[in-house]
């Protein structure tokens, strides 16, 4: 089985370790991994802000590039960018007619990382070890667009040494929301403060999730508040072999 | 309280209105208490049904059918309402609706009007208009009465005074009604009742909204919990009901489903205390009821939404307010921050169409697009997707902020070319090394005031992947 990696620009530039950890986990599970070097961004920031023309240019580039791959699946360490391709392309962002068949084929084989392991590979134990108290934040797009809720939990529960603690309101938005975090910084910050209050009252050392963007928001605020709680992408935990 | 209006109330001032409110601890407490209580009650009664999801789909389908054939249903409704003795008026916009109401009130020489709660009459600023014409229009729903006394807009579709604590209401009553101060909700309700009872008995006409209009019988349905709706529509000689063109349901059978969905979604009740079905004015042998029933059917921008494939779904809304309660942005800023009657997710979706892009085009940006609204909506409106459509329309029509547009242009050009993208990544890393310091933080306007922004990693994934490849 061959997987082509869809590494979002945020992961590429700011959290490359999480991308590499995804590679490690997939290779450990016996998957052949390829990475198409000329990929950049799926266009989500422009799309979410209303700039569809700009977003469409990148969507077309994305579709052409991944259509050229013979991989069986496309896997991304992000529920949000997976949503962009699987839900927004074609339905919310118009795509030229001639790319439609290619898009539909891509949508059938594109998966978020944790859902790919559980739903496609049918694995729930990736042989990881991790010592620490961890809570998981449900990222909105993963949760509500892709219905990813149990998959990451199932994987985490099988990690040796981990103490998984559910926080209250795990499903409430962290306040990131793309350019919303900057355009409405004060609302966004109040929202992440509520999330952080829940994280703190859960008494954990780490917050994890399937999206680096939400984790960047949470981490950015945790650091500003001098909290000792750390954020980790789920791939960072699953790659752990202590 | 944030009562001293320094900033003009309009969605154009959304950011300023947010600033006025977001750091008000009392308001935040009121909002969080009210929304969490209602959400908990809702969850309780929704659990009655294992087939809740099927009920939502069924409702959404019924509404889709009505909206797709709205002209036919409207004609059918009018015909049946008229044959039951009602007078039906059509109003293209707020002004037309106001003049129709004024004409009716002048014909019956009305000086005092009682109003029951209605978002549609809020939309056309009817109370305000009537005051200007020298006609006293008293809000008789307790929440509406409170915001009327305070000179405010309702801050929630179904709970107009949700932003106020009982202490604040006590203070308001003492000030405006010249009574001794009390915070006891029962005492406050009794005081309002006393004032309102007089008004009911003296009123020349009653004005209401319409929750549902049943096409195959010409019946209008009004739901409420205080009995004031029933009094407003049955006691005075004239009853004027104002409804948007989208309020239609095909038949009584579908009404049953919608009543179940509405009561549970809005107030967490199994059924609202009063459900009035009104078909025509008082008949010969009826004991009570108005002599004249006027139904005003209002467009006011709705046909624009109807013609728009992307937004049409928003006409399915039954104004339950659940999307406001569950919205983390609404919970943080409250309804008044939006600067218009319709707030929260549904307000941000429809207001740019109702008020124009100039006025309300930025409302859809006050959302993190988390989708909690779509998840709770009893008629399954994809609210967060509609917000995205409205954002696109805003950029298409307004061009957006020139600096932002340029930024996205440049960004797109960069992202289009892998080589350019890699170079800009390199520059980012350089900036990170120069400005980031040991803290590994980059200053980002807007972001960094309250949060750290990470500096780019020393090596990008692309680089790490290359190294990984040579290891293998
Ligand atoms: S959009 Fe849906 S949830 Fe919001 S008020 Fe309308 S019916 Fe209720």
């Amino acid at each position: 089985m061959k997987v082509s990696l869809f590494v979002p620009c945020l992961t590429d530039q700011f959290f490359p370790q999480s991308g590499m950890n995804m590679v490690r986990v997939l290779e450990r599970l016996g998957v052949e991994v390829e990475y198409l070097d000329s990929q950049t961004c799926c266009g989500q920031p422009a799309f979410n802000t209303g700039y569809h023309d700009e977003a469409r240019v990148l969507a077309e580039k994305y579709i052409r590039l991944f259509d050229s791959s013979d991989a069986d699946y496309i896997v991304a360490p992000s529920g949000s960018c997976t949503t962009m391709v699987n839900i927004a392309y074609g339905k919310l962002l118009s795509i030229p007619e001639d790319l439609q068949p290619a898009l539909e084929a891509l949508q059938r084989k594109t998966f978020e990382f944790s859902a790919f392991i559980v739903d496609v590979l049918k694995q729930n134990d990736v042989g990881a070890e991790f010592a620490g108290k961890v809570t998981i934040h449900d990222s909105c797009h993963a949760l509500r667009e892709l219905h990813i809720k149990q998959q990451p939990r199932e994987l985490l529960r099988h990690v040796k040494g981990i103490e998984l603690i559910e926080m209250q309101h795990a499903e409430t938005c962290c306040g990131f929301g793309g350019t919303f975090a900057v355009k409405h910084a004060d609302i966004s910050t109040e929202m992440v403060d509520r999330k952080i209050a829940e994280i703190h009252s859960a008494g954990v050392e780490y917050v994890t999730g399937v999206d680096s963007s939400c984790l960047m928001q949470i981490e950015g605020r945790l650091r500003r508040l001098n909290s000792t709680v750390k954020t980790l992408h789920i791939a960072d935990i699953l790659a752990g072999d202590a | 309280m944030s009562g001293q209006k320094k900033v003009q109330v309009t969605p154009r001032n959304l950011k300023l209105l947010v600033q006025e409110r977001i750091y008000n601890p009392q308001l935040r407490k009121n909002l969080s208490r009210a929304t969490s209580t209602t959400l908990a009650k809702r969850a309780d009664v929704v659990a009655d049904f294992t087939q809740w999801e099927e009920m939502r789909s069924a409702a959404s389908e019924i509404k889709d059918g009505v909206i797709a054939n709205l002209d036919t249903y409207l004609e059918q409704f009018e015909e049946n309402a008229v044959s039951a003795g009602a007078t039906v008026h059509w109003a293209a916009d707020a002004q037309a609706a106001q003049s129709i109401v004024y004409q009716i009130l002048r014909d019956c020489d009305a000086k005092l009007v009682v109003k029951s709660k209605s978002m549609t009459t809020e939309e056309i600023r009817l109370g305000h208009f009537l005051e200007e014409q020298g006609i006293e229009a008293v809000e008789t729903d307790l929440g509406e009465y409170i915001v009327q006394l305070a000179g405010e807009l309702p801050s929630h579709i179904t709970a107009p005074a949700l932003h106020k604590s009982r202490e604040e209401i006590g203070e308001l009553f003492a000030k405006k009604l010249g009574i001794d101060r009390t915070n006891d909700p029962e005492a406050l309700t009794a005081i309002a009742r006393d004032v309102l009872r007089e008004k009911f008995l003296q009123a020349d006409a009653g004005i209401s909204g319409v929750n549902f209009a049943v096409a195959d019988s010409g019946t209008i349905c009004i739901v409420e919990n205080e009995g004031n709706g029933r009094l407003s529509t049955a006691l005075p000689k004239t009853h004027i009901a104002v409804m948007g063109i989208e309020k239609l349901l095909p038949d009584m059978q579908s009404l049953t489903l919608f009543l179940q969905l509405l009561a549970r979604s809005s107030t967490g009740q199994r059924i609202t205390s009063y459900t009035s079905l009104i078909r025509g004015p008082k008949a010969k042998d009826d004991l009570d009821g108005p002599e004249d029933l006027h139904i005003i059917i209002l467009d006011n921008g709705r046909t624009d939404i109807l013609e728009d494939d992307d937004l049409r779904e928003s006409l399915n809304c039954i104004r339950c307010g659940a999307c406001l309660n569950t919205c983390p942005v609404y919970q943080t800023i409250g309804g008044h921050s939006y600067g218009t009657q319709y707030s929260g997710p549904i307000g941000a979706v429809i207001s740019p169409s109702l008020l124009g892009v100039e006025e309300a085009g930025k409302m859809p940006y006050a959302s993190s697009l988390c989708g909690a609204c779509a998840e709770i909506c009893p008629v399954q409106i994809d609210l967060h997707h509609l917000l995205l459509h409205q954002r696109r329309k805003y950029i298409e029509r307004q061009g957006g902020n020139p600096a932002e547009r340029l930024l996205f242009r440049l960004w797109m050009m960069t992202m289009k070319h892998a080589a350019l993208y890699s170079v800009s990544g390199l520059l980012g890393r350089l900036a990170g090394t120069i400005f980031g310091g040991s803290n590994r933080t980059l200053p980002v306007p807007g972001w960094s005031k309250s949060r750290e922004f990470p500096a780019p990693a020393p090596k990008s994934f692309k680089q790490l992947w290359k190294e990984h490849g040579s290891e293998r």
Side-chain angles (χ1 to χ4, degrees), chain A residues 12 40 49 183 186 223, chain B residues 15 19 365 404 415 421 439:
Chain A
D12 180 43
T40 57
T49 316
K183 278 180 187 282
D186 33 15
R223 278 176 61 192
Chain B
K15 279 192 132 179
Q19 278 307 321
Y365 289 93
E404 183 180 88
M415 289 294 180
Y421 167 77
N439 206 12

Side-chain angles (χ1 to χ4, degrees), chain A residues 5 7-20 22-24 27 33-58 61 87 91-92 140-141 143-145 171-173 175-192 194 213 216-221 223-224, chain B residues 14-15 18-19 22-23 28 327-329 331-333 362 365-373 375 382 384-385 388-389 391-396 399-402 404-405 408-409 411-412 414-418 421-422 424-426 429 439-442 444-466 468 472:
Chain A
L5 301 176
V7 178
C9 47
L10 193 77
T11 308
D12 180 43
Q13 294 296 327
F14 296 95
F15 307 101
Q17 282 305 338
S18 303
M20 287 311 295
M22 169 172 78
V23 172
R24 262 173 225 122
E27 287 185 340
V33 179
E34 74 163 20
Y35 174 70
L36 303 176
D37 188 59
S38 58
Q39 64 182 279
T40 57
C41 172
C42 61
Q44 181 167 203
F47 164 74
N48 275 0
T49 316
Y51 293 90
H52 283 220
D53 292 342
E54 287 75 5
R56 190 172 303 105
V57 172
L58 299 182
K61 172 185 152 65
I87 309 276
K91 184 178 167 211
L92 303 172
C140 298
H141 289 161
L143 178 71
R144 299 195 182 86
E145 302 280 7
E171 295 186 356
T172 301
C173 180
F176 176 65
T179 45
F180 170 78
V182 176
K183 278 180 187 282
H184 288 285
D186 33 15
I187 308 178
S188 169
T189 304
E190 291 296 307
M191 285 165 71
V192 75
R194 280 173 62 184
S213 48
M216 179 173 86
Q217 157 92 343
I218 296 171
E219 185 197 12
R221 187 62 179 164
R223 278 176 61 192
R224 180 60 59 90
Chain B
L14 190 145
K15 279 192 132 179
V18 168
Q19 278 307 321
I22 192 167
Y23 301 116
R28 288 288 290 280
C327 173
V329 172
Q331 290 170 1
T332 308
I333 64 175
K362 283 189 178 166
Y365 289 93
S367 162
S368 67
L369 302 171
C370 79
C373 44
E375 194 177 36
D382 270 332
H384 59 315
H385 292 169
L388 284 162
H389 284 308
R391 289 184 182 186
R392 167 174 55 82
K393 287 171 199 292
Y394 175 71
I395 299 299
E396 277 170 6
N401 167 324
E404 183 180 88
R405 162 131 256 163
F408 272 117
R409 261 288 138 85
W411 167 86
M412 179 270 281
T414 312
M415 289 294 180
K416 204 176 153 189
H417 303 288
Y421 167 77
S422 291
S424 69
L426 261 171
R429 262 181 289 289
N439 206 12
R440 298 205 37 73
T441 293
L442 264 192
V444 173
W447 180 282
S448 300
K449 199 175 143 224
S450 57
R451 293 150 292 185
E452 306 297 333
F453 194 87
K459 286 178 180 176
S460 69
F461 179 86
K462 280 185 200 303
Q463 291 168 292
L464 293 179
W465 173 261
K466 275 204 191 93
H468 177 71
R472 277 191 297 190

Side-chain angles (χ1 to χ4, degrees), chain B residues 157 316-324 346 373 376-379 381 383:
Chain B
I157 294 179
N316 293 4
C317 173
I318 57 171
R319 304 279 189 268
C320 73
C323 58
L324 281 63
I346 184 65
C373 44
I376 204 167
C377 175
V379 288
I381 301 173
L383 288 152

Side-chain angles (χ1 to χ4, degrees), chain A residues 141-159:
Chain A
H141 289 161
L143 178 71
R144 299 195 182 86
E145 302 280 7
L146 306 174
H147 308 292
I148 294 171
K149 170 92 186 174
Q150 289 315 320
Q151 297 94 322
R153 285 173 173 75
E154 202 165 316
L155 292 169
L156 290 171
R157 268 197 297 271
H158 285 85
V159 171

Side-chain angles (χ1 to χ4, degrees), chain B residues 28-306:
Chain B
R28 288 288 290 280
K29 221 168 92 190
N30 301 347
L31 286 169
S32 112
R33 182 167 40 203
T35 54
S36 61
T37 313
T38 310
L39 287 172
K41 283 205 249 166
R42 176 199 167 274
D44 252 12
V45 294
V46 163
D48 289 350
F49 294 105
T50 48
Q51 75 281 23
W52 181 255
E53 289 310 310
E54 288 78 4
M55 291 164 68
R56 291 175 74 212
S57 317
S60 151
E61 236 170 79
I62 292 170
K63 266 308 211 185
D64 280 347
V66 170
I67 299 299
N69 302 292
L70 198 53
D71 44 353
T72 321
Y73 282 108
L74 281 168
E75 272 170 35
Q76 195 192 1
F77 173 76
E78 179 181 27
E79 208 181 294
N80 289 323
V82 168
S83 68
T87 311
V88 173
H89 311 258
W90 299 86
D93 53 25
Q95 231 184 344
Q98 289 173 348
S99 351
I100 295 168
V101 173
Y102 183 60
Q103 196 61 46
I104 299 168
L105 293 178
R106 235 185 30 188
D107 289 350
C108 62
D109 203 20
K111 300 274 181 306
L112 173 66
V113 175
V114 280
K115 278 187 78 242
S116 70
K117 196 189 122 32
S118 144
M119 284 308 292
T120 314
T121 59
E122 286 289 343
E123 175 187 331
I124 61 171
R125 311 272 294 146
L126 190 57
H128 188 74
F129 166 79
L130 292 176
E131 290 303 324
E132 279 176 359
Q133 310 305 314
I135 298 172
E136 187 185 355
V138 184
E139 295 290 351
T140 61
D141 169 87
L142 188 56
E144 283 285 349
Y145 181 66
I146 293 167
V147 294
Q148 188 179 37
L149 276 186
E152 294 173 348
L153 289 177
S155 75
H156 188 281
I157 294 179
T158 56
L162 162 145
H163 57 289
K164 285 204 187 302
S165 68
R166 70 171 77 134
E167 290 76 19
E168 289 164 326
I169 297 167
E171 199 181 306
L172 175 75
F173 274 35
K175 203 165 110 199
K176 296 279 173 163
L177 302 175
I179 52 156
D180 289 340
R181 172 135 186 208
T182 168
N183 294 340
D184 175 26
E186 273 174 32
L188 289 168
T189 313
I191 293 161
R193 281 239 164 96
D194 280 347
V195 177
L196 294 173
R197 184 171 306 122
E198 282 309 301
K199 304 287 182 188
F200 279 124
L201 293 171
Q202 293 163 12
D204 306 299
I207 299 181
S208 76
V210 171
N211 290 100
F212 302 105
V214 185
D216 76 346
S217 65
T219 305
I220 57 176
C221 173
I222 298 169
V223 299
E224 37 118 9
N225 281 310
E226 297 168 17
N228 67 304
R230 192 158 283 182
L231 289 176
S232 311
T233 59
L235 274 184
K237 274 199 183 133
T238 304
H239 171 200
I240 305 171
V242 186
M243 60 178 263
I245 53 170
E246 82 285 8
K247 291 286 173 189
L248 288 171
L249 288 181
D251 46 36
M252 284 296 183
Q253 205 190 336
S254 43
L255 179 65
T256 319
L257 171 67
F258 279 84
L259 287 175
Q260 290 176 318
L261 289 169
L262 178 57
R264 284 175 165 77
S265 302
S266 59
T267 43
Q269 292 170 290
R270 292 198 165 81
I271 184 145
T272 31
S273 309
Y274 297 86
T275 303
S276 305
L277 296 173
I278 300 169
R279 188 165 176 275
K282 178 178 163 181
K284 259 207 205 86
D285 28 297
D286 281 353
L287 290 177
D288 52 21
E291 279 159 28
D292 293 307
L293 170 62
H294 295 270
I295 302 173
I296 301 175
I297 303 179
L298 175 74
D299 179 350
N300 206 30
R302 287 166 176 77
T303 41
D304 291 343
I305 303 181
L306 185 65

